[in-house]
Coordinates of all heavy atoms in Angstrom, one line a residue:
M742 N 0.8 -1.2 0.0 CA 0.0 0.0 0.0 C 0.9 1.3 0.0 O 0.4 2.3 0.1 CB -0.9 0.0 1.2 CG -2.0 1.0 1.1 SD -3.4 0.7 2.2 CE -2.7 0.4 3.7
A743 N 2.1 1.1 -0.1 CA 3.0 2.3 -0.1 C 2.9 3.2 -1.3 O 3.2 4.3 -1.2 CB 4.5 1.8 0.0
N744 N 2.4 2.6 -2.4 CA 2.3 3.4 -3.6 C 0.9 4.0 -3.8 O 0.5 4.5 -4.9 CB 2.6 2.6 -4.8 CG 4.1 2.3 -4.8 OD1 4.9 3.0 -4.3 ND2 4.4 1.1 -5.4
T745 N 0.0 4.0 -2.8 CA -1.3 4.6 -2.9 C -1.4 5.7 -1.9 O -0.7 5.7 -0.8 CB -2.4 3.6 -2.6 OG1 -2.3 3.1 -1.3 CG2 -2.4 2.4 -3.6
A746 N -2.3 6.6 -2.2 CA -2.5 7.8 -1.3 C -4.0 8.0 -1.2 O -4.7 7.7 -2.2 CB -1.8 9.0 -1.7
C747 N -4.4 8.6 -0.2 CA -5.9 8.9 0.0 C -6.0 10.4 0.3 O -5.2 10.9 1.1 CB -6.5 8.1 1.1 SG -8.2 8.3 1.3
F748 N -7.0 11.0 -0.3 CA -7.3 12.4 -0.1 C -8.7 12.6 0.3 O -9.6 12.1 -0.5 CB -7.0 13.2 -1.4 CG -7.3 14.7 -1.3 CD1 -6.5 15.5 -0.5 CD2 -8.4 15.2 -1.9 CE1 -6.9 16.9 -0.4 CE2 -8.7 16.5 -1.9 CZ -8.0 17.3 -1.1
I749 N -9.0 13.2 1.4 CA -10.4 13.3 1.8 C -10.6 14.8 2.3 O -9.8 15.4 3.0 CB -10.7 12.4 3.0 CG1 -10.6 10.9 2.6 CG2 -12.1 12.7 3.6 CD1 -10.9 9.9 3.6
I750 N -11.8 15.3 1.9 CA -12.2 16.7 2.3 C -13.3 16.4 3.3 O -14.3 15.8 3.0 CB -12.7 17.5 1.2 CG1 -11.5 17.7 0.2 CG2 -13.2 18.9 1.7 CD1 -12.0 18.5 -1.1
V751 N -13.1 17.0 4.5 CA -14.1 16.8 5.6 C -14.7 18.2 5.9 O -13.9 19.1 6.2 CB -13.5 16.2 6.8 CG1 -14.5 16.0 8.0 CG2 -12.9 14.8 6.5
G752 N -16.0 18.3 5.9 CA -16.7 19.6 6.2 C -17.0 19.7 7.7 O -16.5 18.9 8.5
R753 N -17.8 20.7 8.0 CA -18.2 20.9 9.4 C -19.0 19.7 9.9 O -19.6 19.0 9.1 CB -19.0 22.2 9.5 CG -18.3 23.4 9.2 CD -19.1 24.6 9.3 NE -18.3 25.8 9.2 CZ -18.3 26.8 10.1 NH1 -19.0 26.7 11.2 NH2 -17.5 27.8 9.9
N754 N -19.0 19.5 11.1 CA -19.6 18.4 11.8 C -19.1 17.1 11.3 O -19.8 16.1 11.3 CB -21.1 18.5 11.6 CG -21.7 19.8 12.2 OD1 -21.3 20.2 13.2 ND2 -22.7 20.3 11.5
D755 N -17.9 17.0 10.9 CA -17.2 15.8 10.5 C -17.9 15.0 9.3 O -17.9 13.8 9.3 CB -17.0 14.9 11.7 CG -16.2 15.5 12.8 OD1 -15.4 16.4 12.5 OD2 -16.3 15.1 13.9
I756 N -18.5 15.8 8.4 CA -19.1 15.1 7.3 C -18.2 15.1 6.1 O -17.7 16.1 5.6 CB -20.4 15.9 6.9 CG1 -21.4 15.9 8.1 CG2 -21.1 15.4 5.7 CD1 -22.6 16.9 7.9
P757 N -17.9 13.9 5.6 CA -17.0 13.8 4.4 C -17.7 14.4 3.2 O -18.8 14.0 2.9 CB -16.7 12.3 4.3 CG -17.5 11.6 5.3 CD -18.3 12.6 6.1
I758 N -16.9 15.2 2.5 CA -17.4 15.8 1.3 C -16.9 15.2 0.0 O -17.6 15.0 -1.0 CB -17.1 17.3 1.3 CG1 -17.7 18.0 2.4 CG2 -17.5 18.0 -0.1 CD1 -17.2 19.5 2.6
Y759 N -15.6 14.8 0.1 CA -15.0 14.2 -1.1 C -13.9 13.2 -0.7 O -13.3 13.4 0.4 CB -14.3 15.3 -1.9 CG -13.6 14.9 -3.1 CD1 -14.2 14.5 -4.3 CD2 -12.2 14.7 -3.1 CE1 -13.5 14.1 -5.4 CE2 -11.5 14.3 -4.2 CZ -12.2 14.0 -5.4 OH -11.5 13.5 -6.5
E760 N -13.8 12.1 -1.4 CA -12.8 11.1 -1.1 C -12.2 10.6 -2.4 O -12.9 10.3 -3.4 CB -13.4 10.0 -0.3 CG -12.4 8.9 0.1 CD -13.1 7.9 1.0 OE1 -14.1 8.1 1.5 OE2 -12.4 6.8 1.1
A761 N -10.9 10.4 -2.5 CA -10.2 9.9 -3.6 C -9.0 9.1 -3.2 O -8.3 9.5 -2.3 CB -9.8 11.0 -4.6
E762 N -8.8 8.0 -3.9 CA -7.6 7.2 -3.7 C -6.8 7.2 -5.0 O -7.4 7.0 -6.1 CB -7.9 5.7 -3.4 CG -8.4 5.5 -2.0 CD -8.5 4.1 -1.6 OE1 -7.5 3.3 -1.9 OE2 -9.5 3.7 -1.1
V763 N -5.5 7.6 -4.9 CA -4.7 7.7 -6.1 C -3.4 6.8 -5.9 O -3.0 6.7 -4.8 CB -4.3 9.1 -6.4 CG1 -5.5 9.9 -6.8 CG2 -3.6 9.8 -5.2
G764 N -2.9 6.3 -7.0 CA -1.7 5.6 -6.9 C -1.6 4.5 -8.0 O -2.5 4.3 -8.7
S765 N -0.4 3.9 -8.0 CA -0.2 2.9 -9.1 C -0.2 1.5 -8.6 O -0.1 0.5 -9.4 CB 1.2 3.2 -9.7 OG 2.2 3.1 -8.7
A766 N -0.3 1.3 -7.3 CA -0.4 -0.1 -6.7 C -1.7 -0.7 -7.0 O -2.7 -0.1 -7.1 CB -0.1 -0.1 -5.2
A767 N -1.7 -2.1 -7.0 CA -3.0 -2.8 -7.1 C -3.8 -2.5 -5.9 O -3.3 -2.5 -4.8 CB -2.7 -4.3 -7.3
K768 N -5.1 -2.3 -6.1 CA -6.0 -2.0 -5.0 C -6.4 -3.2 -4.2 O -6.7 -4.2 -4.8 CB -7.3 -1.3 -5.5 CG -7.0 0.0 -6.1 CD -8.2 0.9 -6.3 CE -7.8 2.2 -6.9 NZ -8.4 3.3 -6.3
R769 N -6.3 -3.1 -2.9 CA -6.7 -4.2 -2.0 C -8.2 -3.9 -1.6 O -8.6 -2.8 -1.6 CB -5.9 -4.2 -0.8 CG -4.4 -4.6 -1.0 CD -3.6 -4.5 0.2 NE -4.3 -4.6 1.4 CZ -3.7 -4.4 2.6 NH1 -2.4 -4.1 2.7 NH2 -4.4 -4.5 3.7
E770 N -8.9 -5.0 -1.2 CA -10.3 -4.8 -0.8 C -10.4 -3.9 0.4 O -11.3 -3.1 0.5 CB -10.9 -6.2 -0.6 CG -11.3 -6.9 -1.8 CD -12.0 -8.2 -1.5 OE1 -12.8 -8.2 -0.5 OE2 -11.9 -9.2 -2.2
D771 N -9.5 -4.1 1.3 CA -9.6 -3.3 2.6 C -8.9 -2.0 2.6 O -8.9 -1.3 3.6 CB -9.1 -4.2 3.8 CG -7.6 -4.5 3.6 OD1 -7.1 -4.4 2.5 OD2 -7.1 -4.9 4.7
A772 N -8.3 -1.6 1.5 CA -7.6 -0.3 1.5 C -8.5 0.9 1.8 O -8.1 1.8 2.5 CB -6.9 -0.2 0.1
A773 N -9.6 0.9 1.2 CA -10.5 2.1 1.4 C -10.9 2.1 2.9 O -10.9 3.2 3.5 CB -11.8 2.0 0.5
Q774 N -11.3 1.0 3.5 CA -11.6 1.0 4.9 C -10.5 1.4 5.8 O -10.6 2.0 6.8 CB -12.2 -0.4 5.3 CG -13.6 -0.6 4.7 CD -13.5 -1.2 3.3 OE1 -12.4 -1.6 2.8 NE2 -14.6 -1.3 2.7
L775 N -9.3 0.9 5.4 CA -8.1 1.2 6.2 C -7.8 2.7 6.2 O -7.5 3.3 7.2 CB -6.9 0.4 5.7 CG -5.6 0.6 6.5 CD1 -5.7 0.2 7.9 CD2 -4.5 -0.1 5.8
H776 N -7.9 3.3 5.0 CA -7.6 4.8 4.9 C -8.7 5.5 5.7 O -8.4 6.5 6.4 CB -7.7 5.2 3.4 CG -6.4 4.9 2.7 ND1 -6.4 4.3 1.5 CD2 -5.1 5.2 3.0 CE1 -5.2 4.2 1.1 NE2 -4.4 4.7 2.0
Q777 N -9.9 5.1 5.6 CA -11.0 5.8 6.4 C -10.7 5.7 7.9 O -10.9 6.6 8.7 CB -12.3 5.2 6.1 CG -12.9 5.7 4.7 CD -14.2 5.1 4.4 OE1 -14.7 4.3 5.2 NE2 -14.8 5.5 3.3
F778 N -10.3 4.5 8.4 CA -10.0 4.3 9.8 C -8.9 5.2 10.2 O -9.0 5.8 11.3 CB -9.7 2.8 10.0 CG -9.3 2.5 11.4 CD1 -10.2 2.4 12.4 CD2 -7.9 2.3 11.8 CE1 -9.9 2.1 13.7 CE2 -7.6 2.0 13.1 CZ -8.5 2.0 14.0
I779 N -7.8 5.2 9.5 CA -6.7 6.1 9.8 C -7.0 7.5 9.9 O -6.7 8.3 10.8 CB -5.5 5.8 8.8 CG1 -5.0 4.4 9.0 CG2 -4.4 6.8 9.0 CD1 -4.1 3.9 7.9
L780 N -7.8 8.0 8.9 CA -8.1 9.4 8.8 C -9.1 9.8 9.9 O -9.1 10.9 10.5 CB -8.6 9.8 7.5 CG -7.6 9.7 6.4 CD1 -8.2 10.0 5.0 CD2 -6.4 10.6 6.6
H781 N -10.0 8.9 10.3 CA -11.0 9.2 11.4 C -10.3 9.2 12.7 O -10.6 10.0 13.6 CB -12.1 8.2 11.4 CG -13.2 8.5 10.4 ND1 -14.1 9.5 10.6 CD2 -13.5 8.0 9.2 CE1 -14.9 9.6 9.6 NE2 -14.6 8.7 8.7
A782 N -9.3 8.4 12.9 CA -8.5 8.4 14.1 C -7.7 9.7 14.2 O -7.5 10.3 15.3 CB -7.5 7.2 14.1
A783 N -7.2 10.2 13.1 CA -6.4 11.4 13.1 C -7.4 12.6 13.3 O -6.9 13.7 13.7 CB -5.7 11.6 11.8
L784 N -8.6 12.5 13.0 CA -9.6 13.6 13.1 C -9.6 14.1 14.5 O -9.7 15.3 14.8 CB -11.0 13.2 12.7 CG -12.0 14.2 12.6 CD1 -11.6 15.3 11.6 CD2 -13.3 13.6 12.1
D785 N -9.6 13.3 15.5 CA -9.6 13.7 16.9 C -8.3 14.6 17.2 O -8.4 15.6 17.9 CB -9.6 12.5 17.9 CG -10.9 11.7 17.7 OD1 -11.9 12.3 17.4 OD2 -10.9 10.5 18.0
V786 N -7.2 14.1 16.7 CA -5.9 14.9 17.0 C -6.0 16.3 16.3 O -5.7 17.3 16.9 CB -4.7 14.1 16.4 CG1 -3.5 14.9 16.5 CG2 -4.6 12.8 17.1
V787 N -6.6 16.3 15.1 CA -6.7 17.5 14.3 C -7.6 18.5 15.0 O -7.3 19.7 15.0 CB -7.1 17.2 12.9 CG1 -7.5 18.5 12.1 CG2 -6.1 16.4 12.1
Q788 N -8.7 18.0 15.5 CA -9.7 18.9 16.1 C -9.1 19.6 17.4 O -9.3 20.8 17.6 CB -10.9 18.2 16.5 CG -11.8 17.8 15.3 CD -13.0 17.0 15.7 OE1 -13.0 16.3 16.7 NE2 -14.0 17.0 14.8
D789 N -8.2 18.9 18.1 CA -7.5 19.5 19.2 C -6.5 20.5 18.7 O -6.3 21.6 19.3 CB -6.9 18.4 20.1 CG -7.9 17.6 20.8 OD1 -9.1 18.0 21.0 OD2 -7.6 16.5 21.2
L790 N -5.7 20.1 17.7 CA -4.6 21.0 17.3 C -5.1 22.2 16.6 O -4.5 23.3 16.6 CB -3.7 20.2 16.3 CG -2.7 19.2 16.9 CD1 -2.0 18.5 15.8 CD2 -1.7 19.9 17.8
A791 N -6.3 22.2 15.9 CA -6.8 23.3 15.1 C -7.1 24.5 16.0 O -7.0 25.6 15.6 CB -8.0 22.9 14.4
W792 N -7.4 24.2 17.3 CA -7.8 25.3 18.2 C -6.6 25.8 19.0 O -6.7 26.9 19.6 CB -8.9 24.9 19.1 CG -10.2 24.6 18.4 CD1 -10.7 23.4 18.1 CD2 -11.0 25.6 17.8 NE1 -11.9 23.6 17.4 CE2 -12.1 24.9 17.2 CE3 -11.0 27.0 17.7 CZ2 -13.1 25.5 16.5 CZ3 -12.0 27.6 17.0 CH2 -13.1 26.9 16.5
T793 N -5.5 25.1 18.9 CA -4.3 25.5 19.7 C -3.2 26.1 18.9 O -2.2 26.6 19.5 CB -3.8 24.3 20.5 OG1 -3.4 23.3 19.6 CG2 -4.8 23.8 21.5
T794 N -3.3 26.1 17.6 CA -2.2 26.6 16.8 C -2.8 27.6 15.7 O -4.0 27.4 15.3 CB -1.4 25.5 16.1 OG1 -0.4 26.1 15.3 CG2 -2.3 24.7 15.2
S795 N -2.0 28.5 15.2 CA -2.5 29.4 14.2 C -2.1 28.9 12.8 O -2.5 29.5 11.8 CB -1.9 30.8 14.4 OG -0.5 30.8 14.3
A796 N -1.3 27.8 12.8 CA -0.9 27.2 11.5 C -2.1 26.6 10.8 O -2.9 25.9 11.4 CB 0.2 26.2 11.7
M797 N -2.1 26.7 9.5 CA -3.2 26.1 8.7 C -2.8 24.7 8.2 O -3.6 23.9 7.9 CB -3.6 27.0 7.5 CG -4.2 28.3 8.0 SD -4.7 29.4 6.7 CE -6.4 28.8 6.4
F798 N -1.5 24.5 8.0 CA -1.0 23.2 7.5 C -0.4 22.5 8.7 O 0.5 22.9 9.3 CB 0.1 23.4 6.4 CG 0.6 22.1 6.0 CD1 -0.2 21.2 5.3 CD2 1.9 21.7 6.2 CE1 0.3 20.0 4.8 CE2 2.4 20.5 5.7 CZ 1.6 19.6 5.1
L799 N -1.1 21.3 9.0 CA -0.6 20.5 10.1 C 0.1 19.3 9.6 O -0.5 18.4 9.1 CB -1.8 20.1 11.0 CG -2.7 21.2 11.5 CD1 -3.9 20.7 12.3 CD2 -1.9 22.2 12.4
K800 N 1.4 19.4 9.6 CA 2.2 18.3 8.9 C 2.4 17.1 9.9 O 2.7 17.3 11.1 CB 3.6 18.9 8.6 CG 4.5 18.0 7.9 CD 5.8 18.7 7.5 CE 6.7 17.7 6.8 NZ 7.9 18.3 6.4
S801 N 2.2 16.0 9.4 CA 2.4 14.7 10.1 C 1.7 14.7 11.5 O 2.3 14.6 12.5 CB 3.9 14.5 10.3 OG 4.2 13.3 10.9
V802 N 0.4 14.7 11.4 CA -0.4 14.7 12.7 C -0.6 13.3 13.2 O -0.9 13.1 14.4 CB -1.8 15.4 12.5 CG1 -1.7 16.9 12.2 CG2 -2.6 14.7 11.4
D803 N -0.5 12.3 12.4 CA -0.6 10.9 12.8 C 0.1 10.0 11.8 O 0.4 10.3 10.7 CB -2.1 10.5 12.8 CG -2.4 9.3 13.7 OD1 -1.5 8.8 14.3 OD2 -3.6 8.9 13.6
R804 N 0.5 8.8 12.4 CA 1.2 7.8 11.6 C 0.6 6.4 11.8 O 0.2 6.1 12.9 CB 2.7 7.7 11.9 CG 3.5 8.9 11.6 CD 4.9 8.7 12.0 NE 5.7 9.9 11.7 CZ 6.4 10.0 10.5 NH1 6.4 9.0 9.7 NH2 7.1 11.1 10.3
F805 N 0.6 5.6 10.7 CA 0.2 4.2 10.9 C 1.0 3.5 9.8 O 0.8 3.7 8.6 CB -1.3 4.1 10.6 CG -1.8 2.7 10.7 CD1 -2.1 2.1 12.0 CD2 -2.0 1.9 9.6 CE1 -2.5 0.8 12.1 CE2 -2.4 0.6 9.7 CZ -2.7 0.0 11.0
N806 N 1.8 2.6 10.3 CA 2.8 1.8 9.5 C 3.5 2.8 8.6 O 4.2 3.6 9.1 CB 2.1 0.7 8.7 CG 1.5 -0.4 9.6 OD1 2.0 -0.5 10.7 ND2 0.6 -1.1 9.1
D807 N 3.4 2.7 7.3 CA 4.1 3.6 6.4 C 3.3 4.8 5.9 O 3.7 5.5 5.1 CB 4.6 2.8 5.1 CG 3.4 2.2 4.3 OD1 2.3 2.0 4.9 OD2 3.6 1.8 3.2
L808 N 2.1 5.0 6.5 CA 1.3 6.1 6.1 C 1.4 7.2 7.1 O 1.4 7.0 8.3 CB -0.2 5.6 6.1 CG -0.6 4.6 5.0 CD1 -2.0 4.1 5.2 CD2 -0.3 5.0 3.6
V809 N 1.5 8.4 6.6 CA 1.6 9.6 7.4 C 0.5 10.5 7.0 O 0.2 10.8 5.8 CB 3.0 10.4 7.1 CG1 3.0 11.7 7.9 CG2 4.1 9.5 7.4
V810 N -0.3 11.0 8.0 CA -1.4 11.8 7.8 C -1.0 13.3 7.9 O -0.5 13.7 9.0 CB -2.6 11.5 8.7 CG1 -3.8 12.4 8.5 CG2 -3.0 10.0 8.6
S811 N -1.3 14.1 6.9 CA -1.1 15.6 6.9 C -2.5 16.2 6.7 O -3.3 15.7 6.0 CB -0.1 16.0 5.9 OG 1.1 15.4 6.2
V812 N -2.7 17.4 7.3 CA -4.0 18.1 7.1 C -3.8 19.6 6.9 O -2.9 20.2 7.4 CB -4.8 17.9 8.5 CG1 -6.1 18.6 8.4 CG2 -5.0 16.5 8.8
Y813 N -4.6 20.1 6.0 CA -4.7 21.5 5.8 C -6.1 22.0 6.3 O -7.1 21.4 5.9 CB -4.6 21.9 4.3 CG -4.6 23.3 4.0 CD1 -3.5 24.1 4.2 CD2 -5.8 24.0 3.6 CE1 -3.5 25.5 4.0 CE2 -5.8 25.3 3.4 CZ -4.7 26.1 3.6 OH -4.7 27.4 3.3
V814 N -6.1 22.9 7.2 CA -7.3 23.4 7.9 C -7.6 24.8 7.3 O -6.8 25.7 7.4 CB -7.2 23.5 9.4 CG1 -8.5 23.9 10.0 CG2 -6.7 22.1 10.0
T815 N -8.8 25.0 6.7 CA -9.2 26.3 6.2 C -9.7 27.2 7.3 O -10.0 26.7 8.4 CB -10.2 26.2 5.1 OG1 -11.4 25.7 5.6 CG2 -9.7 25.3 4.0
A816 N -9.9 28.5 7.0 CA -10.5 29.4 8.0 C -11.9 29.0 8.4 O -12.4 29.2 9.5 CB -10.5 30.8 7.5
G817 N -12.6 28.3 7.5 CA -14.0 27.9 7.7 C -14.1 26.5 8.3 O -15.1 25.9 8.4
H818 N -12.9 26.0 8.8 CA -12.8 24.7 9.4 C -13.1 23.5 8.5 O -13.7 22.5 8.9 CB -13.5 24.6 10.7 CG -12.9 25.5 11.7 ND1 -11.7 25.2 12.4 CD2 -13.3 26.7 12.2 CE1 -11.4 26.2 13.2 NE2 -12.4 27.2 13.1
I819 N -12.8 23.7 7.2 CA -12.9 22.6 6.3 C -11.5 21.9 6.3 O -10.5 22.6 6.3 CB -13.2 23.0 4.8 CG1 -14.6 23.8 4.8 CG2 -13.3 21.9 3.9 CD1 -15.8 23.0 5.2
L820 N -11.5 20.6 6.4 CA -10.2 19.8 6.6 C -9.9 19.1 5.3 O -10.7 18.4 4.7 CB -10.4 18.8 7.7 CG -10.8 19.4 9.0 CD1 -11.1 18.3 10.0 CD2 -9.9 20.4 9.6
F821 N -8.7 19.2 4.8 CA -8.1 18.5 3.7 C -7.1 17.5 4.2 O -6.0 17.9 4.6 CB -7.5 19.5 2.7 CG -8.4 20.4 2.0 CD1 -8.8 21.6 2.6 CD2 -8.9 20.1 0.8 CE1 -9.7 22.5 2.0 CE2 -9.8 21.0 0.1 CZ -10.2 22.2 0.8
F822 N -7.5 16.2 4.3 CA -6.7 15.2 4.8 C -6.0 14.5 3.6 O -6.5 14.3 2.6 CB -7.5 14.1 5.5 CG -7.9 14.4 6.9 CD1 -9.1 15.0 7.1 CD2 -7.1 14.1 7.9 CE1 -9.5 15.3 8.4 CE2 -7.5 14.3 9.2 CZ -8.7 15.0 9.4
G823 N -4.7 14.1 3.9 CA -4.0 13.3 2.9 C -3.1 12.3 3.6 O -2.5 12.6 4.6
T824 N -3.0 11.1 3.0 CA -2.1 10.1 3.5 C -1.1 9.8 2.4 O -1.3 9.9 1.3 CB -2.7 8.8 3.9 OG1 -3.4 8.3 2.8 CG2 -3.7 9.1 5.0

């Protein structure tokens, strides 16, 4: 799964707006669920960090095996997650 990435846009009230998986590796059946699990786990960390820092780009907020979660938080609290 090292050659795949996941991008998710999460709106207010933790509602996913957009989700995409990109990469050249063969897709596994559980890859989508694994990415969702990792990003939802990172959501708790992001919600705490978003109110304690003025930075909009939160680099490396969570890790799982070879996946690193980074987040861009907009002024309207729309979250752009990427692994």
